[in-house]
Amino acid sequence: MAESARTPSATAKPQQRHEVHRADLPLSCPLPAHAVWNEHPRVYLSIVEDGGQSQCPYCGNIYILVD
């Protein structure tokens, strides 16, 4: 089995965890404040309906609702 099939690409961005507040809703990724706000198409995440935690399907960032 090729090793490259199991390792992420050198350009892959590591997933990050972000705490968000109800005042930040509706939640979209990437957040407007992120330096890479145009990294991928904006996707809205249903963090309240998801039990207070959502993951972006594009970049894998995890968002946690703290209040």
Side-chain angles (χ1 to χ4, degrees), residues 37-60:
W37 62 267
N38 62 349
E39 183 174 285
H40 60 69
R42 179 178 292 162
V43 59
Y44 286 91
L45 305 171
S46 55
I47 194 166
V48 173
E49 293 83 358
D50 292 343
Q53 182 172 321
S54 290
Q55 184 171 14
C56 176
Y58 286 103
C59 64

Side-chain angles (χ1 to χ4, degrees), residues 12-33:
K13 182 183 137 219
Q15 81 180 191
Q16 299 177 359
R17 296 174 67 89
H18 302 279
E19 291 184 349
V20 294
H21 301 273
R22 290 189 184 274
D24 300 321
L25 301 180
L27 175 62
S28 64
C29 183
L31 293 171

